[in-house]
Amino acid sequence: MGDAALRPIGLFDSGVGGLTVLRELRRQLPNESTLYLGDEARMPYGPREPAEVLGFTREAMRWFSGRDCKLVVIACNTATSVALEAVREESAVPVIGVIRPGAAAALTATARRAIGVLATVLTVRSGAYIRALRDLDPLVDVAQQACPRLVTLVEEGRANSAQAEDAVREYVEPLLTEGGVVRPVVDTLLLGCTHYPLLRPIIEKVAGRDVRVVDSAATTALAVREVLASHRMVREEGRAEHHVFCTGAVERFRGVASAIFQEDPPDVEETRLQT
Ligand code: DGL
């Protein structure tokens, strides 16, 4: 284990959603220190234009490079879908997104090769999931559904509310109705936004027992493990430290984070991204 192994892993999301990826990363790589950055002040990213989200992601990458991270996870599908390729080119450290790992998880789960992708408006517009899924299986049927209300419901701490269930019904039911090739009846729902695992109980209830619901957290953590292992950068021992930063609304962020991890609110430091 070289010195590089001791450096932290960075994780970036527009808000609290990437914490679902952090939780899995901590489980799979318990010795790794992490720095989490949520751009709470400018969330949601989903309704924004690609150039704007690319700009925000570049700012986040500069923030991480000033803190000596050994690898950065873009734990946000929206940012991954429009910025991963560009920031990977520009970055001195490996950058991992959540879309390809999410596609891999869905393809492992689907028996009938028919997948429904729930995602933000910008992720759907980008077509990134269709490309990632078809790269891995050119014959797979994919139906996408933009879910613009879900991120705000999660960020407002209303993931278990009646409004959340209404919204999930509105978005999920069309993917389950018969409709032929263009709109297949899917057997797998891919949560293509890192906020959506926080709505998993409601999504599973609406989808019913015959539909599998998968997300990208476990496969993203696995991708990180593989990259670190193949470059001898896994931290094998020592006490991990975890720091969480956000760009505004610290108290709201702490409240939602505490509900996600079902533990006391984490310490969250406020930071700035604009340069
Ligand atoms: N958690 C994010 C994603 O995975 C972003 C949600 C948003 O800011 O709209 O897409």
Side-chain angles (χ1 to χ4, degrees):
M1 181 172 96
D3 281 353
L6 301 176
R7 290 152 57 198
I9 295 172
L11 291 100
F12 170 58
D13 182 42
S14 62
V16 296
L19 293 173
T20 57
V21 179
L22 174 63
R23 175 175 53 188
E24 185 59 30
L25 196 80
R26 285 176 59 171
R27 203 183 64 75
Q28 290 194 33
L29 289 160
N31 298 317
E32 300 292 343
S33 293
T34 63
L35 289 182
Y36 182 91
L37 171 62
D39 190 9
E40 198 67 23
R42 297 185 296 195
M43 81 90 201
Y45 282 7
R48 294 178 183 272
E49 287 302 311
E52 202 176 14
V53 174
L54 173 58
F56 296 167
T57 311
R58 284 192 164 124
E59 287 173 4
M61 292 303 297
R62 277 198 288 278
W63 187 94
F64 285 116
S65 72
R67 285 165 178 81
D68 202 26
C69 290
K70 63 179 174 184
L71 178 148
V72 175
V73 181
I74 302 189
C76 173
N77 291 264
T78 311
T80 300
S81 72
V82 296
L84 177 65
E85 269 176 56
V87 298
R88 191 176 261 163
E89 284 281 300
E90 296 157 4
S91 170
V93 298
V95 186
I96 291 197
V98 282
I99 288 194
R100 197 178 165 95
L107 286 166
T108 302
T110 179
R112 285 191 287 107
R113 318 310 282 171
I115 295 168
V117 179
L118 305 177
T120 66
V121 170
L122 186 50
T123 301
V124 167
R125 259 177 71 194
S126 76
Y129 264 113
I130 299 195
R131 285 192 298 279
L133 286 160
R134 296 248 161 88
D135 272 353
L136 296 167
D137 177 353
L139 295 179
V140 71
D141 278 329
V142 187
Q144 300 196 95
Q145 176 66 55
C147 311
R149 284 171 20 231
L150 300 189
V151 167
T152 318
L153 284 162
V154 169
E155 292 277 350
E156 288 171 351
R158 291 193 288 150
N160 292 317
S161 63
Q163 295 98 310
E165 183 161 340
D166 287 348
V168 166
R169 272 191 199 289
E170 179 188 324
Y171 300 136
V172 169
E173 279 174 353
L175 294 171
L176 306 175
T177 32
E178 200 68 62
V181 177
V182 178
R183 187 51 72 82
V185 180
V186 303
D187 72 352
T188 299
L189 278 180
L190 169 55
L191 307 185
C193 170
T194 52
H195 282 71
Y196 300 171
L198 303 167
L199 295 156
R200 182 186 280 273
I202 293 182
I203 295 172
E204 283 177 343
K205 177 176 156 198
V206 170
R209 264 188 305 183
D210 295 337
V211 176
R212 296 189 65 182
V213 178
V214 299
D215 66 61
S216 56
T219 40
T220 300
L222 182 66
V224 172
R225 244 166 72 194
E226 284 174 355
V227 170
L228 293 182
S230 55
H231 293 275
R232 297 186 199 292
M233 290 200 298
V234 176
R235 185 177 182 187
E236 275 138 13
E237 56 200 33
R239 211 177 117 81
E241 281 183 27
H242 304 287
H243 293 280
V244 179
F245 295 84
C246 76
T247 55
V250 170
E251 282 317 309
R252 186 181 67 188
F253 187 99
R254 291 182 78 221
V256 181
S258 134
I260 294 170
F261 285 98
Q262 296 186 336
E263 60 186 33
D264 292 340
D267 290 334
V268 177
E269 294 166 55
E270 192 166 350
T271 190
R272 285 172 64 86
L273 271 187
Q274 292 99 319
T275 42

